[in-house]
Amino acid sequence: MSIKASGGSSLARPQLYQTVAVSTIIQAEQQDRFLDRNELGELDTYFNSGLRRLAIAEVLTQNSDLIVSRAANRIFTGGSPMSFLEKPPVEQTERTLVGVGGGSVADLPSDIKAAQQSTQTFVSGGQGSESGGGLLGGLLSVFTNPGIGKIPVGFRPINISRYGPANMTKSLRDMSWFLRYVTYAVVAGDPNILVVNTRGLKEILENACSVDATVVALLEMKVASISYFKNDAEAKDILTQYFDILVSELQTPTPSNKLRQRNSRDLQGLELPQSYFNAAERRPKFVMKPGLSATEKNDVVKAAYRQVFERDITRAYSQSISYLESQVKNGDISMKEFIRRLAKSPLYRKQFFEPFINSRALELAFRHILGRGPSSREEVQKYFSIVSSGGLSALVDALIDSQEYSDYFGEETVPYIRGLGVEAQECRNWGMQQDLFNYCAPFRKVPQFITTFAKYDRPLPDQHVYGSGNDPLEIQFGAIFPKENRNPSSAPAPFSKDTKRILIHRGPGINNQNSNPKARAVNPGSLGAKVVRLNNQLPGSSNGASVKFGESSTQAVIRATYRQIFGRDVYEGQRLTVAEIKLENGDISLREFVRILAKSDTFLKTYWTPFYVCKAIEYIHRRLLGRPTYGRSEMNKYFDLCSKKGFYAFVDALIDSAEYNEAFGEDTVPYERYLTPAGMQLRMARVGTLREDIGKRVDKEVTPRFVELGQVSGLRTEPDVKARVNQGVTVQRQQTKVFKLTNTSDKVALKNAVRAAYRQVFERDIEPYVVNANFTNLESKLGNGEITVKEFIEALGSSELYLKEFYAPYPNTKVIELGTKHFLGRAPLNQKEIQHYNQILASQGIRAFISALVGSMEYAQVFGEDTVPYRRYPTLPAANFPNTERLYNKLTKQDSEVVVPSFKPAVSTSASIN
């Protein structure tokens, strides 16, 4: 089964019109250059005339009714045309309405007000007007105002009474719109808005009114507008320019749609209205011709660079392919061949082929050579086979030698992006193609088209047929929005208008109306909804025997009907008592009673007025036929009916349908026959509706992670257990001897503590002659009890020998490592500790650093006043233990490596380039 699909994307907002500034900057941006002198002069002229343009628009706005009135009086006869002009409520400050009688118009009754509007006359007091008001001003304008020019031969005045009020209202509205478009164009400085909104209206005006009459009205509006600027030649020129463009565009026949060429069956043949093309960004097309100047040829070559390499390589990389440039400029090779060689160049291969897999390189090649993305899965398969077997050269040759390239670009035209406004865009690759046109497309390594096309054949049974996302909740009938509070994914929804939603039948599965249409009249029994039937003997009440769950009370049937149609019990004031009496008397059938309820104001305000059409159709369809709509095909049929005939015709179509007659007949209250999977799930998960055997919560016992990590999976020996208990610490920790000086009278203990201090601080025994020269005084003070072991250690660290051996030769980071090793018996804990001591070392010196270490709380808690520091084998934090091992297991002067570096080692520049 083949399924048509449509791709999604972020919302595209095309520019609806151009201004001088926007169009000039866009053109320079597309060519990757600065504005030239002519463009800057054009912008300067536009901005210098900005106040004048705003003044022109202001004058035309304030006198719009007078201008439109003159034009309407010129082409209409037999009444006052201005009485048909519908205007939004605005404050009339400088305009006086002179009607029949005096007094305020707002205070008069509606009939008198209508009579005044039929004979009203406008007297201008607006700015820019130099002629007097009243009768004298009107007579004076007859002799002083110039003529409107050549009147079309086929012009005939239009009689208001024969033309009709509805057509008069539309004609006056359109004339006001034309004047408004002129003011827009004046302010924008660009006639693009006139071209977009008026070109192609000739055939429409011929059918509705008359083109000649419209041209006469516009010429009259032109003369009336220019009359407000008699002494301003520049303003006259501006208005003349835009009114002439408006008249010429109005007389232009409707241009044909731009057809998207389709050279294979897997491509979509689409049409783009010409107005969309006119409103799009102006993308210049560059063609290499022999007669161009050197500057123009350079522009064409740069355009080719921008298309193939997505940038001007002469500016981005300071390089160019000079021998190819000279050949294409001299005419030795065509532009088509120039594009071919650029796409095969080493630079293109390095930028757009080697960094990507074949499917992504294929997508980029489509953009650079054909100006679009891949159109279908078959097209991707075809060119993927080519690039896989022949590489980049074969792919480039296949694209450039294709019929599509010849049709669009020929031999001399530079390829261009065929995006929004250039040609009709396909729906199935919409999102991916818009992403491919972005400047950042080469930075996306993952292919998009092939993955999206692959999803077309994957069934998604629970996906909603009306849009992206899964089947919505029960309150989102017909919605085109997903359940998630985010933008729809760019993946397509593989559903077409012929695809049906999956619905659950409330009753035996064998009675499903898709597989068994004759079973529509079969009641669902105990498996489905409760069926309520009116048992009176009414014509047509032959829908089978009485049901087991039937109700004999007419009031119960009426109440059930209200609950089905309105979804609730209605208030007393909302009940239709007359229809109820007719039903009780047998004057109408239950089917007609349902029709009356569905056409009531209460039902209209509940299920039609508050919602958009699709959602209202879905609601009403469920209420009257007892099931959701099947899909877009059914929705399209009802949508067309609602748009042409309205709400009441839609209700009649449902109740008079064959499905209603077969399912409910004349005497059965409609009931819910089908529901969506989401609706079923919501009802089953509702509090109080869970059965003991369905939806019961299952609590899975999960073993905590720390318990799993603590369990032993294999057999462990006793040495293995001891090694794990020791956490990698060797037996040296138990063999370490701690020297503690508690009694200075014990000379042997004193001597051992002093030698241990030397070994800890200087990492070796100190020779006697060194001791006699430097530390004899310190040893005597320690032996006499004048200083403690802690003060002795601090004095050793502040000595000239320590500074010479462990401070002068090393950087601060290494000095900090050695200091923590000598005085705290470990390596630095982390970078924060290194930063802390580095600040002390840099600002206060080595002696302050030693004092900070010895005076720290850690030193006091571990060594106290009378213990010589020793290696401590700290196992926490675990990351610090290897650092301490490395610090103690190598000689200090073996190398200058820092065990705990304060920064990551930099990679060699030459190595990174190679």
Side-chain angles (χ1 to χ4, degrees), residues 412-520:
E412 304 298 342
T413 302
V414 178
Y416 50 86
I417 297 298
R418 293 149 56 189
L420 289 175
V422 178
E423 68 175 11
Q425 302 296 298
E426 294 179 300
C427 184
R428 59 187 173 188
N429 66 350
W430 168 271
M432 296 74 65
Q433 180 146 297
Q434 303 310 314
D435 291 341
L436 188 65
F437 290 159
N438 291 336
Y439 182 78
C440 60
F443 297 98
R444 183 191 293 271
K445 304 296 183 182
V446 181
Q448 291 181 277
F449 289 81
I450 186 62
T451 54
T452 303
F453 292 149
K455 295 179 180 178
Y456 287 172
D457 297 333
R458 298 180 184 177
L460 299 177
D462 61 339
Q463 191 161 354
H464 201 280
V465 297
Y466 298 139
S468 178
N470 289 335
D471 200 351
L473 302 180
E474 290 288 285
I475 60 173
Q476 294 176 326
F477 309 126
I480 58 173
F481 314 108
K483 288 191 291 188
E484 299 85 3
N485 294 326
R486 57 181 175 82
N487 292 331
S489 62
S490 58
F495 291 101
S496 68
K497 63 181 180 62
D498 300 322
T499 308
K500 282 190 174 183
R501 298 166 73 182
I502 294 180
L503 302 180
I504 299 176
H505 177 54
R506 295 203 63 189
I510 196 173
N511 292 336
N512 187 294
Q513 71 180 40
N514 280 337
S515 57
N516 187 11
K518 295 182 179 180
R520 284 180 179 173

Side-chain angles (χ1 to χ4, degrees), residues 92-134:
Q92 304 293 334
T93 55
E94 299 182 355
R95 187 171 298 153
T96 308
L97 181 63
V98 180
V100 178
S104 174
V105 179
D107 300 333
L108 298 177
S110 58
D111 55 344
I112 300 179
K113 193 182 303 182
Q116 289 186 356
Q117 290 179 350
S118 64
T119 58
Q120 64 188 11
T121 305
F122 289 93
V123 180
S124 173
Q127 119 184 46
S129 176
E130 298 179 359
S131 61

Side-chain angles (χ1 to χ4, degrees), residues 827 871 874-875 877-889 899-900:
R871 180 181 176 184
T875 56
N880 192 45
F881 179 73
N883 297 334
T884 305
E885 286 287 317
R886 289 180 55 197
L887 195 60
Y888 272 95
N889 290 339
V899 175
V900 187

